[in-house]
Amino acid sequence: MEMTEKKYVVGDLKSLIGKKVKRSQLEDIYNVHMILVDAVDLPNNNCEGKLVYADGVSGCDYDQWLHQSKPITPIYNNAEELEDLVVYDE
């Protein structure tokens, strides 16, 4: 039996700063810039790393993370792109 992983929501972000998470666990959080460091690639286009930034939660500047020497994995799930995938029957 395969165990399902916990999916996080925006309200969880503050408690996740500094902890290891998978990209797939953050896929239900939209329109929030997030950054993982020390990320390792996993199967199925997934990765796992330490969450160090989330819009307005981390106390750091996004640009500060973009212009430093450590490799990062930025994550941004755009809600508008999700809406473009919706098909309506008439």
Side-chain angles (χ1 to χ4, degrees):
M1 177 186 226
E2 190 174 317
M3 215 158 153
T4 59
E5 63 186 17
K6 177 170 174 47
K7 299 282 186 169
Y8 296 112
V9 295
V10 173
D12 297 324
L13 288 175
K14 188 172 186 176
S15 66
L16 293 174
I17 296 294
K19 295 183 180 169
K20 279 195 172 191
V21 294
K22 294 179 183 174
R23 177 188 302 178
S24 59
Q25 292 178 290
L26 303 173
E27 64 188 12
D28 293 338
I29 300 174
Y30 296 99
N31 301 332
V32 175
H33 292 276
M34 297 170 276
I35 294 177
L36 300 180
V37 295
D38 301 326
V40 293
D41 290 331
L42 301 173
N44 300 324
N45 196 28
N46 200 0
C47 70
E48 180 178 51
K50 184 168 64 169
L51 182 67
V52 293
Y53 179 87
D55 262 359
V57 175
S58 68
C60 298
D61 183 28
Y62 187 75
D63 289 337
Q64 175 185 356
W65 280 106
L66 292 178
H67 301 315
Q68 48 88 40
S69 60
K70 230 181 216 186
I72 63 168
T73 302
I75 299 173
Y76 183 79
N77 302 315
N78 190 336
E80 291 176 9
E81 287 179 9
L82 178 68
E83 290 172 4
D84 288 344
L85 299 176
V86 175
V87 177
Y88 297 96
D89 288 336
E90 292 185 27

